[in-house]
Amino acid sequence: LFQAFSRLEEIYTHLIGRFPASCPLSEQEQGVLTQLCQKVVKYFQDGKQIKAVLEQNPSQGKAILVANGLASNQQFAVREWIMPFMSCFADLLKVLWTLWTQLKRKKQSMAASRRGIEQLTRLVARCALDQQQQQQQQ
């Protein structure tokens, strides 16, 4: 479980490190993303602390987690942390995916608009040339 957790932290660090450069964000989008990132970072910090306590105290680790306020129930000490963490991490991925797909649609729309404007420009130019030729023939 904690190995997968460490891998998720690597993925998170990589994604967040590269995302702003590849997907420009508005202030509002940046605010939402920052808030989610702060929550995820807190879960990573708590996870490292939980892991350290459990490794240092294999037999009493869960009781120590309860005593230190990191868990409310010995039996479900790790579950109490991992379930909300996974939900928050999934929310972060959903937000990143939504922002990325919006940017992709916007770029596609801009490209389609550019092609339409280019076609319209060619048509207007052709009409202007035809009109000029007709005036010269008269």
Side-chain angles (χ1 to χ4, degrees):
L1 176 70
F2 286 107
Q3 284 181 329
F5 166 75
S6 295
R7 184 67 181 126
L8 279 179
E9 187 174 22
E10 290 173 20
I11 292 167
Y12 165 80
T13 302
H14 179 77
L15 275 175
I16 294 304
R18 294 184 56 136
F19 194 79
S22 62
C23 188
L25 302 173
S26 70
E27 254 184 67
Q28 183 181 9
E29 292 165 338
Q30 184 65 45
V32 169
L33 192 59
T34 298
Q35 202 172 37
L36 269 172
C37 288
Q38 288 171 345
K39 288 180 183 178
V40 169
V41 166
K42 173 78 169 97
Y43 279 116
F44 280 127
Q45 291 169 348
D46 290 349
K48 289 175 186 174
Q49 192 174 1
I50 289 168
K51 179 183 179 199
V53 168
L54 293 175
E55 285 176 348
Q56 292 169 3
N57 306 288
S59 60
Q60 295 295 322
K62 290 183 179 184
I64 293 170
L65 291 175
V66 171
N68 290 342
L70 288 170
S72 61
N73 181 321
Q74 273 187 294
Q75 184 180 0
F76 303 112
V78 175
R79 187 183 309 172
E80 286 179 359
W81 161 78
I82 196 73
M83 297 304 286
F85 164 72
M86 293 306 292
S87 177
C88 187
F89 196 81
D91 289 346
L92 174 66
L93 293 177
K94 288 178 207 172
V95 167
L96 292 175
W97 180 254
T98 300
L99 292 170
W100 179 256
T101 55
Q102 285 175 349
L103 176 67
K104 186 177 175 182
R105 275 190 232 117
K106 185 177 178 181
K107 284 183 178 180
Q108 288 171 341
S109 176
M110 288 173 59
S113 295
R114 188 183 71 244
R115 285 190 303 273
I117 290 170
E118 289 169 353
Q119 289 174 344
L120 188 58
T121 303
R122 283 192 293 272
L123 181 62
V124 168
R126 193 173 325 133
C127 288
L129 283 174
D130 289 347
Q131 189 176 29
Q132 188 179 21
Q133 287 175 351
Q134 287 175 359
Q135 287 175 353
Q136 287 176 354
Q137 290 175 357
Q138 292 175 351

